[in-house]
Amino acid sequence: MGVVTDMRGRRSRKRVNRAESRAKAGRDGSRNVSLFWRIFSLNAMGLVVATALLLGPVTVSTPVLAGEALVLLGGLAVLLAGNALVLRFGLGPLQRLDQAMATADLLRPGSRPVVAGPAETAGLITTYNRMLDRLEAERASGAARALSAQERERHRIARELHDEVGQTLTAVLLQLKRVADRAPEGLREEVGQAQEATRAGLEEIRRIARRLRPGVLEELGLASALRSLTAEFTTHGLTVRHRVTGDLPALNPESELVVYRVAQEGLTNTARHAAADRAELRLQPVPGGVELLVRDNGTGLRDAPEGAGITGMRERALLIGAGLTLEPAPGGGTDVRLRIPVTSRTPVTEGPR
């Protein structure tokens, strides 16, 4: 009995599969019909029906009678309505394609118009989608090369600032100290001021070098680098709270660098443009990955166009397949969210302290 039931079930599934195949073939066949043949067939059908009626029971008198006029006008209305419907459904996908082309943004990939409509329209949409795929791949590859070159240049400049300018200013400080020890009483105050100005310049050079090349990221890990970053901005009049969860999925070095640079750029924008006095930085696990949040209590996004900083953050996010969103924060201000997809759940381990 069970065998019979199983055989009946198999036959039933085969019938369902055949029906689905016929339906799919019917849909594909209707899509392959071009707009020209759809309109031509409708007009030909109308003319054939009109000719058959005129050769058969329908006649047209001179002058035209009211009933005959109604029949002719009704036939004309049906023909025009049929043409309008065919054009409406045939050109609808083209209108959606036009809207998609007008709003396409290579920095926000993934959105594609649905392939639908007559054969010409479906082919055009398919070609457009393939072109977007190629452009996005080329944009990502070009951005990766540019950002890689940018990081190498940052490292070179940071090294030269530290090794050349930093050592020169250190030598100047030592020389000023010797001068201050031998200077007469009236000049010691001016020499001391020169020492303080040189020391401040040396600290600024070191700060710039650290921002160009985050050595703490390589030596102590991402969590320590983000804490150091928040401390740096806190000393510039912005109160920054940070919360970095310890149990984070492992990130590769490229992803860690992108997280650090996005956090750096987000806090820089907050300090320069947001007119904010408080900011918050969070790095926490989310389903399927890790999320970085930079939140401030400033003036918000308003209608200002995106600048080079935000564009750079979007390009960096594309390099690692991450998603970047900017949205109003609860209670005012701006939220910058970077979500990095991660498959491994191995916790991040910080370097030695």
Side-chain angles (χ1 to χ4, degrees):
M1 184 67 180
V3 176
V4 174
T5 304
D6 184 58
M7 293 178 62
R8 290 178 179 174
R10 290 180 181 177
R11 286 197 294 268
S12 177
R13 286 192 295 271
K14 288 181 180 179
R15 286 195 295 269
V16 171
N17 292 336
R18 285 196 297 268
E20 290 179 351
S21 299
R22 286 194 296 269
K24 185 177 184 299
R27 289 194 299 268
D28 293 341
S30 63
R31 180 181 296 176
N32 291 331
V33 179
S34 67
L35 184 61
F36 168 79
W37 284 110
R38 292 187 184 192
I39 298 176
F40 177 80
S41 300
L42 179 64
N43 289 329
M45 185 184 301
L47 292 175
V48 168
V49 171
T51 302
L53 291 175
L54 289 175
L55 294 176
V58 177
T59 58
V60 179
S61 304
T62 305
V64 180
L65 301 178
E68 296 172 348
L70 288 176
V71 171
L72 292 176
L73 292 176
L76 178 61
V78 169
L79 186 61
L80 291 176
N83 278 276
L85 287 175
V86 170
L87 291 174
R88 182 71 174 176
F89 287 107
L91 298 179
L94 284 179
Q95 295 175 347
R96 291 192 293 271
L97 175 62
D98 177 70
Q99 183 178 6
M101 294 175 70
T103 57
D105 188 352
L106 295 181
L107 292 178
R108 297 176 177 86
S111 178
R112 297 288 185 273
V114 178
V115 179
E120 302 96 331
T121 306
L124 181 61
I125 296 176
T126 300
T127 303
Y128 173 73
N129 289 342
R130 290 174 180 170
M131 181 190 69
L132 273 186
D133 292 339
R134 290 196 302 270
L135 288 177
E136 288 179 0
E138 292 173 1
R139 174 66 181 261
S141 176
R145 291 192 298 270
L147 291 176
S148 178
Q150 184 185 77
E151 288 297 329
R152 290 196 300 270
E153 187 67 11
R154 283 172 179 258
H155 285 195
R156 185 188 66 80
I157 295 174
R159 185 172 58 252
E160 290 185 358
L161 286 175
H162 182 272
D163 296 343
E164 303 295 334
V165 182
Q167 291 181 6
T168 300
L169 289 179
T170 301
V172 171
L173 274 177
L174 295 175
Q175 184 69 25
L176 286 174
K177 184 179 184 304
R178 288 193 292 269
V179 172
D181 293 339
R182 301 175 183 177
E185 190 68 26
L187 293 177
R188 287 184 180 178
E189 182 178 357
E190 295 182 8
V191 175
Q193 293 176 354
Q195 283 180 294
E196 290 302 319
T198 305
R199 188 174 291 109
L202 180 59
E203 288 299 321
E204 184 66 16
I205 289 295
R206 289 173 177 171
R207 186 186 68 83
I208 294 173
R210 286 195 301 269
R211 295 196 66 188
L212 288 173
R213 183 177 181 270
V216 65
L217 178 62
E218 301 174 358
E219 298 167 3
L220 301 180
L222 179 60
S224 296
L226 292 178
R227 294 189 185 100
S228 175
L229 184 65
T230 57
E232 176 185 339
F233 278 90
T234 299
T235 60
H236 286 74
L238 183 67
T239 302
V240 184
R241 295 188 304 167
H242 68 274
R243 188 173 70 185
V244 180
T245 305
D247 185 18
L248 290 171
L251 298 176
N252 57 41
E254 291 79 11
S255 297
E256 288 189 350
L257 182 60
V258 169
V259 171
Y260 182 86
R261 290 301 187 195
V262 170
Q264 185 181 56
E265 185 62 36
L267 290 177
T268 300
N269 288 341
T270 297
R272 290 180 179 176
H273 309 298
D277 58 2
R278 295 193 309 276
E280 182 180 3
L281 187 148
R282 298 183 199 168
L283 185 65
Q284 56 194 2
V286 294
V290 177
E291 182 180 79
L292 170 73
L293 170 65
V294 181
R295 173 177 291 172
D296 64 62
N297 66 338
T299 55
L301 296 172
R302 295 172 291 180
D303 296 327
E306 294 188 356
I310 296 178
T311 300
M313 286 193 290
R314 294 193 184 281
E315 289 179 342
R316 289 183 182 276
L318 287 178
L319 294 181
I320 58 174
L324 181 77
T325 59
L326 284 83
E327 56 192 9
T334 305
D335 277 358
V336 178
R337 294 180 185 272
L338 177 72
R339 179 163 293 193
I340 306 101
V342 178
T343 55
S344 172
R345 291 298 301 175
T346 305
V348 172
T349 57
E350 296 187 28
R353 293 183 177 275

